[in-house]
């Protein structure tokens, strides 16, 4: 089987899958379409094709995915790390915020915690999650990446936290009931626990904002990824809890996607 036999199937996910397996860019594949696949890669790409035909997301079919400058194991234990989330990680890395101690609530695969610890070697990062399965994935990823300035513990939001942090970051489950029922079928392969944010999608923001002041150092920052229609209600909650210097950021599609606020 040749590269062009995959290209000819005209399935973008399959071509991306092949570029991951061969560790080559998509343009390399188009320019070298007569290249023969090794039997190992042929076997893997055919199995990925079968998974895709069964509606399994490419990232789970591959079993790993790139996030910023790290490669993560991804499987159904946690949400697939989204490209958009790299925006907020990059923002934190480049910001002049104090960031000696960072807390990531709802660590999932560990994407945010691990990419921050990798790129901020002076920072100490703590990732928490309520899911034992997610935590086992976080720790596998941590070990693969040989990072020592990050730890993961089980905690329902702040329940097992006693420390204070310079930054609290979270990409909590934020999809509301109506949108959850209308999701693309592919997303039902991901844990509902990682996507569903209660009837109005705001359940976790309310709880985090309510308690965050107790866990932030003075002038510390609370940073969220949010749903496309949640900017106004979350800004309001932040103002009510005395947060200041609120910044709203959009994603690459122009949707409101992030909020940054400072302890008042
Ligand atoms: N960004 C994800 C989606 O659109 C949702 C992630 C989340 O709920 N935090 O499907």
């Amino acid at each position: 089987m040749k590269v062009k036999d995959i290209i000819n199937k005209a399935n973008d996910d399959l071509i991306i899958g092949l570029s991951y397996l061969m560790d080559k860019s998509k343009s390399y594949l188009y320019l070298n379409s007569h290249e023969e696949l090794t039997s190992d890669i042929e076997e893997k790409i055919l199995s990925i094709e079968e998974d895709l035909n069964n509606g399994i997301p490419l990232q789970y079919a591959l079993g790993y995915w790139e996030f910023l400058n790290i490669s993560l194991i991804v499987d159904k234990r946690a949400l697939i790390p989204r490209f958009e989330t790299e925006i907020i990680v990059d923002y934190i890395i480049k910001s002049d915020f104090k960031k000696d101690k960072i807390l990531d609530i709802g660590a999932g695969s560990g994407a945010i915690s691990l990419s921050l610890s990798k790129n901020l070697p002076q920072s100490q990062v703590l990732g928490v999650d309520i899911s034992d399965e997610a935590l086992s994935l976080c720790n596998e990823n941590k070990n693969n990446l040989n990072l020592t300035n990050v730890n993961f513990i089980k905690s329902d939001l702040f329940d097992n936290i006693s420390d204070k942090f310079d930054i609290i970051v979270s990409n909590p489950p934020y999809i509301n009931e109506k949108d959850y029922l209308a999701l693309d079928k592919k997303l039902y392969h991901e844990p509902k626990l990682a996507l569903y944010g209660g009837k109005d999608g705001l359940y976790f923001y309310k709880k985090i904002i309510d308690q965050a002041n107790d866990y932030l150092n003075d002038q510390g920052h609370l940073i969220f990824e949010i749903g496309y229609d949640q900017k106004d209600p979350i800004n309001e909650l932040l103002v009510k809890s005395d947060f200041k210097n609120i910044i709203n950021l959009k994603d690459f599609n122009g949707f409101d996607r992030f909020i940054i606020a400072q302890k008042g």
Side-chain angles (χ1 to χ4, degrees):
M1 182 176 247
K2 293 189 161 128
V3 169
K4 74 173 164 52
D5 296 314
I6 298 298
I7 290 176
N8 288 342
K9 291 177 195 267
N11 176 341
D12 218 34
D13 273 354
L14 203 57
I15 297 169
I16 297 169
L18 186 60
S19 87
Y20 261 79
L21 291 176
M22 292 177 65
D23 201 15
K24 301 281 189 206
S25 65
K26 263 169 53 173
S27 51
Y28 175 94
L29 299 185
Y30 286 103
L31 292 169
N32 296 276
S33 62
H34 287 281
E35 202 170 296
E36 197 69 41
L37 302 184
T38 65
S39 58
D40 178 48
I41 287 183
E42 178 171 332
E43 197 181 309
K44 285 184 178 151
I45 197 70
L46 291 175
S47 141
I48 288 173
E49 183 178 26
E50 199 179 317
D51 283 350
L52 293 177
N53 288 340
N54 289 324
I56 293 171
L58 170 65
Q59 293 88 336
Y60 286 165
L62 264 168
Y64 64 102
W65 198 243
E66 305 289 330
F67 182 83
L68 212 65
N69 55 350
I70 57 175
S71 179
L72 295 166
I73 307 164
V74 293
D75 59 37
K76 56 182 172 40
R77 283 177 285 178
L79 189 85
I80 296 166
R82 305 292 202 270
F83 180 51
E84 289 81 21
T85 307
E86 294 180 4
I87 298 176
I88 199 64
V89 172
D90 190 58
Y91 185 96
I92 295 171
I93 292 167
K94 292 179 180 151
S95 74
D96 57 8
F97 300 164
K98 186 165 189 301
K99 45 198 153 193
D100 295 344
K101 287 171 72 180
I102 302 175
L103 172 66
D104 171 21
I105 299 179
S109 62
I112 295 178
S113 296
L114 295 164
S115 55
L116 285 173
S117 66
K118 166 92 181 175
N119 291 287
L120 297 170
Q122 311 296 339
S123 300
Q124 191 62 41
V125 182
L126 178 65
V128 300
D129 208 290
I130 194 174
S131 155
D132 289 313
E133 292 198 306
L135 290 165
S136 72
L137 182 57
C138 286
N139 279 312
E140 280 172 35
N141 278 318
K142 173 188 163 171
N143 293 338
N144 273 351
L145 294 161
N146 287 317
L147 293 166
T148 53
N149 58 330
V150 56
N151 281 301
F152 296 98
I153 62 165
K154 180 165 177 159
S155 180
D156 181 0
L157 304 177
F158 294 105
D159 279 2
N160 297 330
I161 310 285
S162 46
D163 229 349
K164 288 197 176 210
F165 299 84
D166 303 305
I167 291 180
I168 297 174
V169 58
S170 184
N171 175 18
Y174 56 63
I175 299 182
N176 67 32
E177 188 175 35
K178 186 168 141 281
D179 288 350
Y180 188 80
L181 295 170
L183 284 182
D184 185 302
K185 278 216 299 288
K186 218 160 67 170
L187 274 90
Y188 295 130
H189 288 274
E190 298 184 81
K192 184 175 182 186
L193 189 68
L195 287 167
Y196 182 59
K199 203 170 173 56
D200 63 0
L202 297 171
Y203 178 82
F204 295 99
Y205 300 106
K206 288 177 181 158
K207 294 204 89 162
I208 294 171
I209 292 170
D210 225 32
Q211 300 178 73
N213 276 311
D214 296 339
Y215 297 91
L216 276 173
N217 287 326
D218 287 345
Q219 313 298 320
H221 289 87
L222 176 59
I223 300 176
F224 286 127
E225 179 169 325
I226 62 164
Y228 66 95
D229 57 355
Q230 295 174 326
K231 182 181 94 173
D232 293 341
I234 296 175
N235 279 349
E236 240 172 74
L237 291 167
L238 287 164
V239 170
K240 268 194 208 141
S241 286
D242 291 330
F243 280 89
K244 63 181 183 188
N245 297 330
I246 296 175
I247 301 170
N248 295 289
L249 297 179
K250 292 182 191 293
D251 65 19
F252 297 119
N253 293 313
F255 291 114
D256 292 312
R257 187 63 65 203
F258 309 102
I259 300 191
I260 296 140
Q262 191 169 22
K263 184 171 172 174

